[in-house]
Each structure stands twice: as structure tokens, then as C-alpha cells.
């Protein structure tokens, strides 16, 4: 069963746009799917006290994070009638404008795909031990907190 | 008893290391241990720091030999 298999979530550096295109292509053989919902997190060039963020360096408590990702994914499957769900998150440095989170849900119908995708994104932001160091253009930094 | 302690994000920055092995008195309480580390390393904003024991978030526990204690600052995934 695909949904029982723990999957590797973390990727080193930014998530390349090709990975997103490949994810779409990989589902073309699954013709029971009628809707995909895709969330992409992108690094924003926040300006804080006159300094501009140029990148975020992500780190994580990896063993716990992989476990929590798996639990969140299982919770989504028990709550929503999804065909499949894929999550990728960056570790290491991701520059502004690049993608750091990909959540991809598929279902027979759009509402389920969209709601499941929202559920996964909110759960990931609240529960996964990932930490983000916002690097400014002058190489100083501050630590990001999810709101 | 020996426990394995891990520090992440701004906590690791304040502590100056990412992990250490400590020898504690048997049955040390988790909150007492957190308070001790916060004081010893002057960990900033301790109320925002969550603790995981063996990869589960916990507030109360009597620590045991071999436990893995992680100091987790606010999450920032996504």
C-alpha cells in the first residue's frame, strides 16, 4: 500500500521546478485522479529594519521530523479520501525566489485535494521541527518563526 | 545515568554546540533539567523552547538512562 510506506521528505537545497513538473507527469497513469492540489512555499525577500533577506538556511531535527511528516501524512489519509500525497521540504540554503516546500495532493475531486493540501501545509508548519535562519544581504541573520 | 542532549536552531547557537552527553542523577525531572540548561547556557526566550524526549514533545517526565532530550526553538518549516 503506497500510503503506508514512510517517504523521504527532505531534499538538499531548493526544490527544482523540474521536480514539480515530474510530479505532475508521474500521475498521468493514475486515471482515477480528477484533481491535484499543489502548494509551493517560496522564500520571500522580507525587509526587516532596513535589511533584506537573501536566503533561508533550513535545519531540522531530522529523525523526529521524518516521523512527524509520516504521522501528518497518515492523519491526512484517514481524514481525506486522497489517492496520493507527496511532501518535499528543503534543508540547507534556499535563496529568495526559490521553492522550499512542495505539498502535492491528488484525489478524484477538487474539494478533497484542496482541503487535504491545506491540512498538510498547516500541520507541517505547526508540528514539524524545522528551523530557519534568515540570512540578510550583509551576512547577518535572524531566526524565522512561523506565524 | 547518561542522557543524550541535542540543541537546534537558535538554542544551538546560544549553547555553542549541537549535542552533548550528560551524566544526571537518576529520576531527574524534565522541567528541572530544562531550567538547569536554560540557566547554564543562558538560552534566550525559554518559554518558546519545546522539549522532545525520544522524539516526542513532552512537558513532564522523569528522565531515564539513555533518553534523547532535544531542545527545540519555534518551528519555521515551509
Amino acid at each position: 500500500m503506497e500510503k503506508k510506506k514512510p517517504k523521504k521528505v527532505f531534499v538538499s537545497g531548493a526544490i527544482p521546478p523540474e521536480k514539480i513538473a515530474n510530479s505532475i507527469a508521474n500521475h498521468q497513469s493514475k486515471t482515477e485522479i480528477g484533481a491535484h492540489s499543489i502548494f509551493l512555499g517560496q522564500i520571500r525577500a522580507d525587509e526587516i529594519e532596513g535589511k533584506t533577506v537573501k536566503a533561508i538556511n533550513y535545519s531540522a531535527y531530522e529523525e523526529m521530523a521524518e516521523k512527524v511528516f509520516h504521522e501528518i501524512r497518515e492523519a491526512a489519509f484517514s481524514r481525506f479520501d486522497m489517492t496520493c500525497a507527496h511532501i518535499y521540504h528543503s534543508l540547507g540554503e534556499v535563496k529568495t525566489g526559490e521553492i522550499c516546500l512542495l505539498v502535492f495532493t491528488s484525489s478524484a475531486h477538487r474539494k478533497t485535494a484542496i482541503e487535504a493540501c491545506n491540512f498538510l501545509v498547516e500541520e507541517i508548519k505547526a508540528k514539524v521541527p524545522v528551523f530557519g535562519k534568515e540570512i540578510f544581504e550583509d551576512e547577518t541573520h535572524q531566526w524565522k518563526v512561523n506565524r | 545515568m547518561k542522557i543524550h542532549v541535542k540543541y537546534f536552531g537558535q538554542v544551538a547557537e546560544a549553547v555553542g554546540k549541537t549535542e552533548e552527553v550528560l551524566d544526571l542523577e537518576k529520576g531527574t525531572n524534565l522541567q528541572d533539567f530544562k531550567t538547569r540548561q536554560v540557566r547554564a547556557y543562558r538560552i534566550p526566550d525559554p518559554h518558546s523552547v519545546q522539549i522532545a524526549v525520544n522524539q516526542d514533545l513532552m512537558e513532564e517526565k522523569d528522565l531515564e538512562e539513555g533518553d534523547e532530550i532535544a531542545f527545540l526553538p519555534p518551528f519555521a518549516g515551509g
Side-chain angles (χ1 to χ4, degrees):
Chain A
M1 292 284 288
E2 187 191 9
K3 73 179 183 181
K4 293 292 175 197
K5 193 171 60 184
K7 295 192 166 199
K8 188 105 181 94
V9 170
F10 287 118
V11 297
S12 179
I15 296 167
E18 296 75 30
K19 193 170 185 75
I20 301 154
N22 289 339
S23 292
I24 298 168
N26 290 342
H27 289 80
Q28 288 180 339
S29 59
K30 297 187 180 182
T31 49
E32 72 276 26
I33 292 171
H36 301 298
S37 185
I38 299 174
F39 175 85
L40 301 173
Q42 174 169 302
I43 306 298
R44 189 177 52 238
D46 271 347
E47 199 179 305
I48 300 154
E49 293 170 6
K51 297 193 289 188
T52 307
V53 171
K54 69 164 188 175
I56 294 181
N57 196 317
Y58 284 105
S59 57
Y61 184 9
E62 284 190 56
E63 302 89 339
M64 178 175 166
E66 293 282 1
K67 193 179 87 158
V68 176
F69 274 126
H70 180 68
E71 287 166 1
I72 289 171
R73 205 166 161 274
E74 290 296 296
F77 270 107
S78 62
R79 196 182 275 230
F80 302 99
D81 188 16
M82 287 188 295
T83 311
C84 49
H86 304 272
I87 303 167
Y88 297 102
H89 197 295
S90 295
L91 280 184
E93 189 166 303
V94 186
K95 294 181 177 65
T96 50
E98 293 184 327
I99 302 299
C100 57
L101 172 63
L102 164 60
V103 179
F104 190 123
T105 56
S106 308
S107 178
H109 302 287
R110 70 185 182 286
K111 279 189 182 170
T112 305
I114 292 168
E115 285 171 15
C117 189
N118 281 342
F119 171 82
L120 284 167
V121 172
E122 294 304 320
E123 289 284 285
I124 290 164
K125 287 194 169 261
K127 295 185 176 171
V128 183
V130 170
F131 315 100
K133 188 155 98 169
E134 293 177 316
I135 318 280
F136 297 108
E137 282 167 341
D138 64 359
E139 300 299 328
T140 57
H141 71 268
Q142 71 164 27
W143 291 90
K144 177 176 175 264
V145 176
N146 277 347
R147 277 169 289 194
Chain B
M1 62 171 187
K2 287 203 163 46
I3 59 161
H4 194 163
V5 192
K6 294 190 166 197
Y7 306 102
F8 293 91
Q10 57 268 58
V11 177
E13 201 170 64
V15 170
K17 56 187 139 187
T18 57
E19 56 187 302
E20 63 185 331
V21 175
L22 294 176
D23 205 348
L24 298 185
E25 205 171 304
K26 199 166 187 287
T28 298
N29 172 273
L30 178 60
Q31 282 303 326
D32 291 344
F33 177 64
K34 179 182 174 182
T35 304
R36 177 190 125 157
Q37 297 306 91
V38 164
R39 284 189 189 146
Y41 291 119
R42 297 186 181 150
I43 294 170
D45 197 11
H47 296 293
S48 73
V49 175
Q50 301 187 87
I51 308 285
V53 180
N54 303 326
Q55 302 173 11
D56 286 317
L57 292 178
M58 278 189 197
E59 292 187 359
E60 276 305 323
K61 186 184 187 290
D62 289 334
L63 298 178
E64 292 170 44
E65 170 83 33
D67 277 347
E68 182 174 286
I69 320 294
F71 283 67
L72 307 172
F75 300 163

